[in-house]
Amino acid sequence: MGSANTSEYGSDHQHKYTITGLTPATKYYYNVDCAGDGSFMTAPNASASNVKILAYGDTRSNPSNHNQVAGQMVNAYTNDPAFQTIALLAGDWVNSGDSESDWSSQFFPRSYSNMMQLQADVPLIGPKGNHEQSGNLFNKYFPFPYVNNFYWSFDYGPVHVAVVDQYTSYGVGSTQYNWLENDLANSNKEWKIITFHEPAWSAGGHSNDGTTQSAIHPLAVQYGADIIIAGHNHYYARAVVDDVHHITSGGGGAPLYSPSSGAYIVKTSKSYHHMELDFQGAFMTATVRNDSGNVIETFSISHSGNDAPVADAGNDQTVTDSDESGSEPITLDGSGSYDPDGTIVSYTWKEGSSTIATGVSPTVNLGVGTHTITLEVEDDQMVTDTDTVVITVFSGAGGE
């Protein structure tokens, strides 16, 4: 398309340039003379019905861990170019947001190639977290078109995203609450996502956010926002309340917490991770992967009047081959699975491509070693969902 020169602004050698004349849903390549190459995908057409989006949160403090997660996100759009779109980041980008050194060492460290590749190829968008402090430097590096303070919204193909600032009043009747209600009411997009930092329903660590429960959750129910993405607690958790999926995705790099059970919580994982959201017309599938690329869970949401079942393969297990026979009987547990609008008619357990059992809670013999087992459930409307469980059997001889 050509080239352009830019001038420094501010006091720390920043540059910016607005590229015009771009075509929607098109991949462009660019070069910055002093930095190297990159590429980006422009936003989908407003009329698009399909789009794929990445999401994660709490990248602060440990860039080496963040770099591992970023590597899996790069793998996601390398293997499926449709994921080279945007990544939602649910706050706590760095540990001390008013410190330039934290931004330099934790978010823009040139030695971490995966982080740099992700930032070169995918726009990162999301709310201010408590660790962004005053937000002055956050605003400098991410000057989104805020309505006021740090809240705003945007459309991305079939998805509308509302970014809430929890450090500005957002209770019922507040200016931000009134803005959010009007924003959601006036969106005609098939899918609506609300993102902020502190989750409404917690699985341990920081407690439930009562204002979010009393103010934002009812708006999500009223105006059809199926997905709420937060962070703050450093693990993965999903709560389902009134068919709204409240996701805690706080495993972007910050020190991990151990999740526990909690009201409405249907899945947890103590892991560094990211999410892959695949919107296809009236159907959305989410895949959550840890920093090794293994699937933590998948879940689906349908707007077709046919709500997808939710598979729950139970908790990971570590057992010992008690009789030293080389295998151990293990009872699998799919009892946490459910179907919002019908019944589950089949439970199929697979290791790799091989079916090893059927039924809600079958018992199988597993050999010494580590087994990743997938549960697939199908409801009475022939819609499926899957979840995985990792079971490790140690040898009875010496416990290894």
Side-chain angles (χ1 to χ4, degrees), residues 332 347-351 354-359 361-364 373-375:
L332 305 173
Y347 298 76
T348 303
W349 301 84
K350 294 183 177 182
E351 185 167 14
S354 300
T355 297
I356 60 172
T358 59
S361 300
T363 298
V364 296
I373 297 172
T374 300
L375 168 63

Side-chain angles (χ1 to χ4, degrees), residues 11 21 47 90 114 126 130-131 141 169 209 226 243 264 292 308 314 316 388:
S11 59
S47 60
N114 294 331
N130 59 301
H131 278 267
Y141 289 121
S169 178
D209 186 85
D226 309 270
D243 291 333
Y264 303 106
S292 296
D316 293 349
T388 59

Side-chain angles (χ1 to χ4, degrees), residues 302-348:
S302 173
H303 287 172
S304 66
N306 179 9
D307 286 333
V310 176
D312 184 350
N315 297 322
D316 293 349
Q317 299 183 48
T318 300
V319 298
T320 300
D321 173 14
S322 55
D323 60 2
E324 301 183 27
S325 63
S327 66
E328 183 73 7
I330 304 294
T331 298
L332 305 173
D333 183 12
S335 62
S337 307
Y338 65 94
D339 184 32
D341 64 346
T343 58
I344 295 175
V345 297
S346 70
Y347 298 76
T348 303

Side-chain angles (χ1 to χ4, degrees), residues 199-202 208-209 212-214 216-222 224-228 238-247 262-266 301 310 338 340:
W201 278 273
S202 170
N208 296 343
D209 186 85
T212 306
Q213 290 183 351
S214 63
I216 294 180
H217 174 73
L219 292 180
V221 174
Q222 182 176 357
D226 309 270
I227 306 166
I228 294 179
R238 181 167 59 92
V240 182
V241 188
D242 302 320
D243 291 333
V244 177
H245 294 252
H246 289 261
I247 298 161
Y264 303 106
I265 301 295
V266 299
I301 304 172
V310 176
Y338 65 94

